[in-house]
Amino acid sequence: MKRESLLAIMITTVGWIIIMLYLLPFIWMVGTSFKPIGEWGVPILLSQNPTLRNYAEVLITGGIYGVRGHFPPIIKYLINSLIVSICVAFLTSFLGAMTGYAILRHRVGGTGFANWILSLRMIPPVVVLYPLVVMTKTLALHDTLGGLILVYPLITIPIATWFMIGAFKSVPKETEEAALLDGCSEFQVFYKIALPQATTGLATTFIFTFLFSWSEFLIPLLLAPSERAMPLTVFAAYFSNQYGILWGPLSAAGVIISIPVIMLAVFIRKFIVRGLTMGFVR
Amino acid sequence: MIFQSFNPLIDIAPRFAGLRNFFVFISDSEAHYAIMIMLLLTAITTPIQLGLGILFGILLSSKYLHGKSILTSLFIIPMSIPSVIIGLNWKMIFFTKGPLNAFLESIGISPQPWLSTPFGNPFNTIFSLAILDIWQWTPLIALAVASGIESAPTDVRESASLDGASEIQILRYIVLPMVKSIIIIIFILRIIDSLKIFDIIYMLTFGGPGNVTTSLPFYIYKVGFTLTAANADLGYASLLAVTLLFIASMLIVFTLMRVFNVKKVLWE
């Protein structure tokens, strides 16, 4: 017994040390975001006199320590990102639920169709970029939030569909058949019987698509080049390439961008491996 | 589009170019180099990710580990941060006067040029990019392995330990074969995903210095959308895109045919 408790202490310590070392870069970014000007490049983890000024300037006033126009406030881009991600999450969970249900219960498209949808997820997005640019320009959707909302589902729908297939699989078929016998239409069965029983799956799908569209970078880089629709990720990239040494405000921006996704990801921790490998590992 | 030539800075409309793009591709050493860099990145990152991931996964699933749920939550952090922010974060770490070099100096190693190539040797920048990708995606493999081990039946392990097998023997001969299929699948997925590495290149090195870290996706972006490359042309970019699509779809078809049986998953 004594040997076991010793082993437990050892393994737990080793595990925690590894995790802490592993997260050190991220912790460093959080630490830097609280440093006052002049200490950004100093290699110490925590500042002697921490400040919230970085956050205030990055979020609301903009500019670096009084110099206006240097670094615009990110609140506008934050709103862009939020609008796009929430709309995409709604749209994709809805479409994904319907597609998943159709594939599972009615075998729409036969066996190959589910595979086709899955293979969409693996295509490098850079391959389809030029057609997307041309299409959005022709439809006058270039550089608008609407354009982004219509293009993102290209990446998120496969995930949503496979998630919803998994969710509907646990719904018993018998209740649906009973509802059909009692005179429900197909759509009513889907809407009133199947969907309420798959709420957990639906919520997970929603959060997942939100995470994906929040982190998307390459597509908005080309489809939303001006500040009308530019999301946070592209904004952060631009400004780090221009003002690369202003680590304080940049770290604050980085922390602001990562905090919501980290919280959501931890919230759906149980599903995250399944979502990222999607259907492959059960 | 691959039979056309169109540079928006010069031309008004796309012109028909016949097979010219193909000849450009055959003699374009930069494109060949980009393909090589893409494959090299894959070859460096995936095996290391796999090795570390399995180790961490075994550690995470160990029954002696306390605070497992908190550890798992912390382990998710690298995966969930947008990779742009990861690039930003590591740019700060790799900075010439940054914390990593300060640390190296304090233990007596001279500072390394992480993001530049003073001796014309591109390996250190590629290595930095590989570190990023490994850092971000090792937790995925670890968590998958851990969940695989935890969902595997425990009675076999118990009977083996009753028969006098040591912990390491149990791991090697019982637990690892049980999660073998998960490991293979996730390995192939990582290979496919690492063909897509773009964000961290954009953030960390922007393909440079020179073009030493320009992998194929980034080269397509350069040729087609920034029009700064020597062969800037949308038709040529389309040809490169089709090449990338070809490489990727070979892997995808292999995955779907061999590893993954949709019938079994859906309608068994």
Side-chain angles (χ1 to χ4, degrees):
Chain A
M1 221 48 215
K2 203 175 173 212
R3 188 179 156 269
E4 292 223 330
S5 65
L6 198 68
L7 203 62
I9 293 171
M10 254 172 61
I11 287 186
T12 310
T13 332
V14 169
W16 278 94
I17 289 175
I18 287 181
I19 294 274
M20 281 306 141
L21 282 180
Y22 202 79
L23 289 180
L24 202 55
F26 181 69
I27 297 171
W28 190 273
M29 184 165 79
V30 177
T32 309
S33 68
F34 289 111
K35 284 180 190 167
I37 190 167
E39 285 186 30
W40 295 338
V42 181
I44 42 168
L45 186 57
L46 288 174
S47 169
Q48 296 292 324
N49 33 3
T51 169
L52 280 173
R53 195 163 171 184
N54 289 328
Y55 285 94
E57 298 217 325
V58 161
L59 260 182
I60 303 152
T61 57
I64 306 292
Y65 285 79
V67 187
R68 288 283 166 131
H70 211 48
F71 198 105
I74 66 170
I75 197 95
K76 184 175 177 350
Y77 308 94
L78 192 71
I79 292 170
N80 278 348
S81 265
L82 273 179
I83 293 175
V84 171
S85 306
I86 290 176
C87 288
V88 169
F90 266 114
L91 188 71
T92 340
S93 341
F94 181 65
L95 291 176
M98 298 220 284
T99 325
Y101 186 77
I103 288 176
L104 186 69
R105 288 281 187 263
H106 301 287
R107 306 199 174 188
V108 169
T111 338
F113 190 59
N115 266 344
W116 269 109
I117 288 187
L118 191 59
S119 69
L120 275 182
R121 185 239 174 200
M122 302 173 188
I123 293 175
V126 77
V127 168
V128 289
L129 264 181
Y130 181 58
L132 284 178
V133 171
V134 173
M135 277 190 245
T136 46
K137 275 195 173 151
T138 327
L139 297 171
L141 285 170
H142 192 70
D143 203 11
T144 60
L145 292 175
L148 289 185
I149 293 171
L150 287 180
V151 169
Y152 279 8
L154 184 77
I155 293 174
T156 50
I157 274 187
I159 307 158
T161 306
W162 275 84
F163 243 103
M164 289 317 290
I165 288 178
F168 283 129
K169 257 178 99 173
S170 58
V171 174
K173 237 177 175 173
E174 288 74 26
T175 49
E176 292 169 30
E177 280 157 5
L180 267 181
L181 281 180
D182 287 347
C184 276
S185 71
E186 280 293 350
F187 190 72
Q188 277 175 328
V189 171
F190 166 71
Y191 190 70
K192 289 189 174 152
I193 311 288
L195 211 52
Q197 293 185 61
T199 330
T200 321
L202 199 65
T204 318
T205 316
F206 186 85
I207 294 177
F208 244 102
T209 43
F210 185 88
L211 293 183
F212 268 78
S213 38
W214 185 271
S215 314
E216 187 50 52
F217 172 66
L218 182 55
I219 289 177
L221 179 68
L222 289 155
L223 293 189
S226 84
E227 69 168 36
R228 269 172 66 205
M230 186 187 283
L232 269 177
T233 44
V234 182
F235 173 78
Y238 273 162
F239 277 85
S240 88
N241 280 351
Q242 280 181 36
Y243 308 109
I245 308 176
L246 303 175
W247 298 125
L250 281 172
S251 310
V255 172
I256 291 169
I257 299 171
S258 357
I259 288 299
V261 276
I262 289 176
M263 278 160 63
L264 285 177
V266 169
F267 188 64
I268 54 163
R269 161 162 64 88
K270 277 183 189 153
F271 301 94
I272 207 144
V273 172
R274 185 140 70 87
L276 289 171
T277 55
M278 218 177 53
F280 286 109
V281 181
R282 280 183 295 157
Chain B
M1 206 51 209
I2 63 175
F3 296 114
Q4 287 176 333
S5 161
F6 180 41
N7 185 342
L9 299 178
I10 307 165
D11 307 322
I12 301 160
R15 284 178 287 118
F16 183 72
L19 290 176
R20 208 196 67 190
N21 286 330
F22 289 90
F23 294 129
V24 172
F25 177 67
I26 287 169
S27 58
D28 186 2
S29 60
E30 215 176 321
H32 303 160
Y33 181 78
I35 293 177
M36 204 195 74
I37 290 293
M38 181 177 77
L39 298 179
L40 183 67
L41 266 178
T42 309
I44 299 174
T45 55
T46 40
I48 300 180
Q49 275 171 6
L50 197 68
L52 280 178
I54 292 173
L55 272 182
F56 288 174
I58 289 171
L59 185 71
L60 267 183
S61 65
S62 159
K63 62 181 173 187
Y64 299 114
L65 189 66
H66 289 284
K68 207 176 279 184
S69 60
I70 304 175
L71 278 184
T72 322
S73 306
L74 286 176
F75 222 36
I76 286 175
I77 290 179
M79 284 194 287
S80 54
I81 305 175
S83 39
V84 172
I85 303 306
I86 286 182
L88 178 71
N89 189 350
W90 281 84
K91 207 172 168 184
M92 190 161 73
I93 306 281
F94 283 141
F95 187 54
T96 321
K97 293 189 176 65
L100 189 58
N101 276 341
F103 171 73
L104 285 181
E105 230 165 340
S106 71
I107 58 169
I109 304 171
S110 61
Q112 300 292 317
W114 293 102
L115 297 176
S116 56
T117 51
F119 312 114
N121 176 5
F123 193 74
N124 54 354
T125 40
I126 295 167
F127 184 66
S128 308
L129 283 175
I131 291 179
L132 250 78
D133 196 60
I134 292 168
W135 187 74
Q136 189 177 11
W137 292 112
T138 301
L140 173 66
I141 300 180
L143 292 178
V145 170
S147 69
I149 291 177
E150 264 160 24
S151 65
T154 51
D155 45 353
V156 192
R157 295 169 67 173
E158 275 161 14
S159 66
S161 76
L162 280 182
D163 287 347
S166 72
E167 296 272 325
I168 293 168
Q169 276 173 331
I170 293 178
L171 268 184
R172 169 69 187 80
Y173 293 105
I174 296 175
V175 176
L176 277 187
M178 276 175 173
V179 292
K180 200 172 129 199
S181 63
I182 292 180
I183 292 175
I184 291 174
I185 291 165
I186 222 163
F187 185 58
I188 293 172
L189 268 182
R190 281 310 307 151
I191 291 178
I192 292 172
D193 277 356
S194 68
L195 296 182
K196 297 198 267 193
I197 296 177
F198 176 88
D199 306 11
I200 57 173
I201 298 181
Y202 186 95
M203 284 304 287
L204 203 62
T205 63
F206 206 77
N211 65 345
V212 291
T213 52
T214 307
S215 83
L216 189 54
F218 197 80
Y219 188 59
I220 295 172
Y221 170 76
K222 245 168 103 180
V223 168
F225 300 102
T226 65
L227 302 172
T228 53
N231 291 308
D233 185 293
L234 277 168
Y236 183 50
S238 304
L239 176 74
L240 290 173
V242 172
T243 315
L244 177 58
L245 186 61
F246 179 73
I247 298 174
S249 41
M250 297 279 277
L251 279 166
I252 294 169
V253 169
F254 174 78
T255 321
L256 292 181
M257 302 278 275
R258 280 297 181 82
V259 187
F260 183 57
N261 189 345
V262 72
K263 254 188 207 154
K264 212 173 113 199
V265 175
L266 286 188
W267 301 300
E268 61 194 355

